[in-house]
Amino acid sequence: MKFFPIKIAIICLLITPVFYIVTLELCEKYLNKNYSCQIENILIGDSIHLLDGSVRLEEQIANNIHDFCKADWLIQKAKLDINILVTTIHKKIIYPIFLDVDSLAKDINSDFDSENIAKNNFEILNSGLVVKIETNLSHGSRIGNIVLVLYFGVSFFIFFIFYKIASAKSIVEGETKAQLINDLKREEQVHKQMLKNFQKERHELFENIKVLNKKYQKDKTKAKINEEEMFEEIISLEEKLNSFIELKQKKEMEISELKSKIQKHGKKKNFKLRHNELEFIEKRFSALYKNIKMNRKALSGFLNLSDELQIKAEEIIHLLDRNPDKIIIKRKVFSGKKHRTACFEVLFSYNGRLYFKKNENNITEVLVVGTKKTQTKDIEFIHKL
């Protein structure tokens, strides 16, 4: 019952009569409209006999409707209950014809007057005919029973499909449960075997503990005997360790003093070398480039460049000395706090930066030589000039 499609069963039972009733109503509307069109098309038939008075309009309409009903499949085979009413505009019934005995005898004894019949036919046709169709598809009719059986068959088929699906799920669940029970039984056997093994190991461990305890007692007695000797050895080792620590501290102090002396000597030596390099570069530039004045900041920045950048920077200095018009200036930078003087920035080798200005004697003064990394500090230096 877990997978039984009770909802589907309820839906099928409730929807089937609703669909049955709605279908009957829609079929009645459709059949009324369809038969009205068909009967209106075959109602008059051939009008020649009507206009010459050889046949009455009522008889011809009745014959046409009877022929139509005999040829229609639903009326003959499915026993469709259909009511046909043909009237004039003035509500005179044309079909079905109701004749009493007196009028029938009068028509037989009287002469056949074709002119009056033709005139009567023309007047009826001229006034117009109204066709009303009513089909009866009520509960219990053959078509109604067919529709009901069809909907119940579809509902039963849908319910059968869901029932099969539920049955398959129930079978699968049963098999799964059976498999799970078998697996649990196997695990139970495995756990029982493991429990036996643990009990056996536990017994062996207790035996080992007993053996180790005996050995521990023996070692404990030996340790008590050697304890005094060990204390004496520990004291002697501590004395040696303290003397070693004192010696290490003395050596470390000596090493630090030597390092400080070496650093002072190295700084003096580097300062002398740096000073000599600056003097050499200053003399070299003053000898080679007569129209260029190099700032000490520019000389220091030039020495900090790599060999490749020094070559590119000296190439720019050479152009400033010989062909200053060929220099490509990137931008203008103002120097000085009070008297703002225009300085110019030149790029070399993408990362290199050179700043220069013209002094009062129209001599080019190189203020700073640096790179993109030192650009911020270099511009601050220029602003403070």
Side-chain angles (χ1 to χ4, degrees):
M1 291 297 291
K2 180 180 179 180
F3 296 100
F4 185 77
I6 186 68
K7 293 182 179 179
I8 301 300
I10 294 171
I11 290 170
C12 291
L13 290 174
L14 293 177
I15 287 179
T16 299
V18 175
F19 278 10
Y20 168 69
I21 294 168
V22 172
T23 303
L24 290 182
E25 291 181 358
L26 294 176
C27 288
E28 282 185 355
K29 292 179 181 180
Y30 171 75
L31 291 174
N32 290 338
K33 185 177 179 180
N34 186 35
Y35 278 115
S36 294
C37 294
Q38 293 184 30
I39 290 174
E40 285 176 359
N41 292 331
I42 59 94
L43 187 63
I44 304 300
D46 189 3
S47 60
I48 296 173
H49 299 292
L50 297 174
L51 297 176
D52 62 8
S54 60
V55 66
R56 292 178 184 275
L57 178 62
E58 293 86 346
E59 294 177 2
Q60 185 162 334
I61 288 174
N63 292 330
N64 291 336
I65 291 174
H66 290 160
D67 293 339
F68 174 78
C69 290
K70 288 180 181 179
D72 190 74
W73 184 85
L74 285 176
I75 297 173
Q76 295 297 322
K77 302 296 183 182
K79 301 299 181 182
L80 176 65
D81 186 9
I82 182 169
N83 296 321
I84 304 170
L85 179 63
V86 182
T87 62
T88 63
I89 297 297
H90 303 292
K91 305 299 181 181
K92 180 183 177 181
I93 297 174
I94 303 300
Y95 179 87
I97 301 172
F98 300 97
L99 296 175
D100 54 8
V101 178
D102 294 336
S103 62
L104 182 61
K106 185 178 178 181
D107 290 338
I108 294 171
N109 294 327
S110 64
D111 295 332
F112 187 79
D113 190 355
S114 61
E115 291 182 1
N116 289 330
I117 293 172
K119 183 180 179 181
N120 188 28
N121 292 340
F122 180 76
E123 288 177 355
I124 294 171
L125 290 173
N126 193 29
S127 64
L129 297 173
V130 178
V131 179
K132 292 183 178 179
I133 305 296
E134 290 184 2
T135 56
N136 184 13
L137 293 178
S138 61
H139 180 65
S141 62
R142 183 173 292 185
I143 295 177
N145 293 334
I146 291 171
V147 173
L148 184 61
V149 170
L150 178 64
Y151 277 129
F152 270 116
V154 173
S155 299
F156 178 76
F157 180 71
I158 293 171
F159 173 76
F160 182 74
I161 290 172
F162 280 94
Y163 178 76
K164 281 291 185 183
I165 294 171
S167 299
K169 287 182 179 179
S170 178
I171 292 169
V172 171
E173 187 183 18
E175 292 176 353
T176 305
K177 287 182 178 179
Q179 183 66 32
L180 181 61
I181 291 169
N182 292 330
D183 293 339
L184 291 174
K185 287 181 178 179
R186 289 176 190 155
E187 289 182 2
E188 185 182 4
Q189 295 296 328
V190 172
H191 289 158
K192 286 181 179 179
Q193 185 63 36
M194 290 175 65
L195 182 61
K196 290 180 181 179
N197 295 332
F198 287 148
Q199 290 176 351
K200 184 178 180 181
E201 290 179 0
R202 181 184 177 187
H203 180 71
E204 292 176 355
L205 286 172
F206 275 121
E207 294 296 329
N208 290 330
I209 289 170
K210 290 179 181 179
V211 174
L212 291 173
N213 190 20
K214 290 180 180 179
K215 187 177 180 182
Y216 169 73
Q217 294 298 329
K218 290 180 180 179
D219 293 337
K220 187 176 180 181
T221 54
K222 290 180 180 179
K224 287 182 179 179
I225 296 171
N226 297 326
E227 187 175 357
E228 294 180 356
E229 296 177 358
M230 290 175 65
F231 273 119
E232 293 177 357
E233 187 175 356
I234 289 169
I235 291 169
S236 64
L237 289 173
E238 286 181 352
E239 291 176 354
K240 291 180 181 179
L241 179 63
N242 292 329
S243 62
F244 176 76
I245 290 170
E246 291 177 358
L247 181 62
K248 182 182 178 182
Q249 290 176 351
K250 290 180 182 179
K251 295 297 180 181
E252 286 178 352
M253 291 177 65
E254 292 177 359
I255 289 169
S256 62
E257 290 177 358
L258 289 173
K259 283 182 178 180
S260 62
K261 290 179 181 179
I262 290 168
Q263 288 177 355
K264 288 179 182 179
H265 181 73
K267 286 181 180 178
K268 290 180 180 179
K269 186 175 181 181
N270 290 332
F271 179 76
K272 289 181 180 179
L273 290 173
R274 182 77 175 179
H275 183 71
N276 293 333
E277 287 180 355
L278 281 172
E279 289 181 353
F280 174 76
I281 290 294
E282 186 177 6
K283 290 178 182 178
R284 180 172 172 271
F285 280 142
S286 61
L288 292 175
Y289 310 112
K290 303 295 183 182
N291 299 320
I292 299 295
K293 181 180 179 182
M294 296 293 293
N295 192 298
R296 295 287 289 183
K297 176 71 173 177
L299 293 171
S300 178
F302 180 83
L303 289 175
N304 290 329
L305 296 176
S306 63
D307 294 340
E308 184 178 355
L309 288 177
Q310 285 182 0
I311 293 169
K312 295 292 183 181
E314 190 167 352
E315 185 179 357
I316 298 297
I317 294 169
H318 178 76
L319 284 175
L320 284 172
D321 183 65
R322 304 296 168 85
N323 297 310
D325 296 334
K326 294 183 179 181
I327 295 296
I328 298 173
I329 296 171
K330 181 185 178 184
R331 61 172 176 168
K332 185 184 290 186
V333 181
F334 291 97
S335 66
K337 293 182 179 179
K338 296 181 179 179
H339 305 289
R340 299 179 69 79
T341 306
C343 297
F344 303 98
E345 181 182 278
V346 181
L347 300 181
F348 60 90
S349 190
Y350 182 71
N351 284 325
R353 303 288 188 273
L354 185 144
Y355 299 91
F356 71 92
K357 70 175 182 177
K358 295 285 186 176
N359 60 13
E360 297 174 353
N361 299 324
N362 202 22
I363 295 175
T364 302
E365 182 179 358
V366 178
L367 300 174
V368 180
V369 177
T371 62
K372 191 175 181 180
K373 292 181 180 179
T374 62
Q375 186 177 15
T376 305
K377 293 182 179 179
D378 295 341
I379 291 174
E380 289 178 358
F381 171 77
I382 292 170
H383 289 331
K384 292 178 182 178
L385 290 174

